[in-house]
Amino acid sequence: MTEFVLGSYRLEVDVEATRAWYGRYGNATGGCGCAYCRNYAAAVGVLPPEAAAFLEPLGLNLRRPGDIGEYGPRQGGRWYMPMWHIAGRLLEAGEGELPVAPGVTAGFATDMGPFLRDFPEPCFQCWLSVTLPWVLEEPADEAADDRDDEVKTLDRRTEP
């Protein structure tokens, strides 16, 4: 276990167990093919390199979240909150969001689902708040038809 202090958060992380799980199950869209997830995968490369650098020491990859939430238009793009599970413990829960890069903030929690099948225990979650451009040829307004109000997660890839 490696201890990290990030702002007012203190974490104990099993980096190798986290990295191994995502290496086995992770992909850019969590197994979801909706337009919002496909847009995340296509547009995430525009984020400042500090976003990926923030996640890497924790065993996480910006392009391989465990879950992606899309929350509508914001600042000329689409507001996304990708989330990753981390093997380990959240020793001290900080307050507020951590600035990671221009337009990118992060936080950690212990109660954010969906919980991923076969993920090492104990675990907690990391999330980012980002705005990404809409880069797909299909308009974002038409993407709403893709939503089925079902959570899109990597858990789907491990179901029998």
Side-chain angles (χ1 to χ4, degrees):
M1 294 284 215
T2 304
E3 188 168 319
F4 295 87
V5 176
L6 301 167
S8 60
Y9 294 90
R10 193 164 63 94
L11 326 170
E12 185 178 65
V13 178
D14 186 335
V15 175
E16 291 311 312
T18 301
R19 190 173 286 130
W21 190 91
Y22 281 98
R24 181 174 173 203
Y25 293 114
N27 71 23
T29 64
C32 177
C34 82
Y36 294 109
C37 288
R38 287 185 286 113
N39 188 70
Y40 175 89
V44 71
V46 304
L47 290 176
E50 295 91 343
F54 174 81
L55 297 171
E56 169 56 30
L58 303 172
L60 305 174
N61 184 321
L62 182 62
R63 296 181 179 276
R64 299 176 81 171
D67 185 51
I68 303 169
E70 190 281 340
Y71 298 97
R74 183 172 86 165
Q75 301 167 343
R78 305 299 294 190
W79 180 21
Y80 284 91
M81 289 186 73
M83 182 192 61
W84 297 260
H85 282 62
I86 299 174
R89 289 180 163 61
L90 180 57
L91 301 174
E92 290 181 28
E95 293 187 25
E97 298 179 359
L98 292 170
V100 172
V104 181
T105 58
F108 299 92
T110 58
D111 60 353
M112 295 175 71
F115 295 98
L116 305 177
R117 183 174 291 172
D118 298 328
F119 199 85
E121 294 284 340
C123 67
F124 62 101
Q125 300 82 38
C126 171
W127 53 265
L128 294 183
S129 178
V130 301
T131 301
L132 295 175
W134 189 263
V135 298
L136 299 183
E137 289 186 25
E138 63 195 274
D141 293 342
E142 293 177 18
D145 293 340
D146 289 342
R147 287 186 182 232
D148 62 3
D149 293 327
E150 182 180 328
V151 175
K152 310 291 194 247
T153 72
L154 291 177
D155 195 28
R156 300 170 130 225
R157 295 193 60 202
T158 61
E159 290 176 353

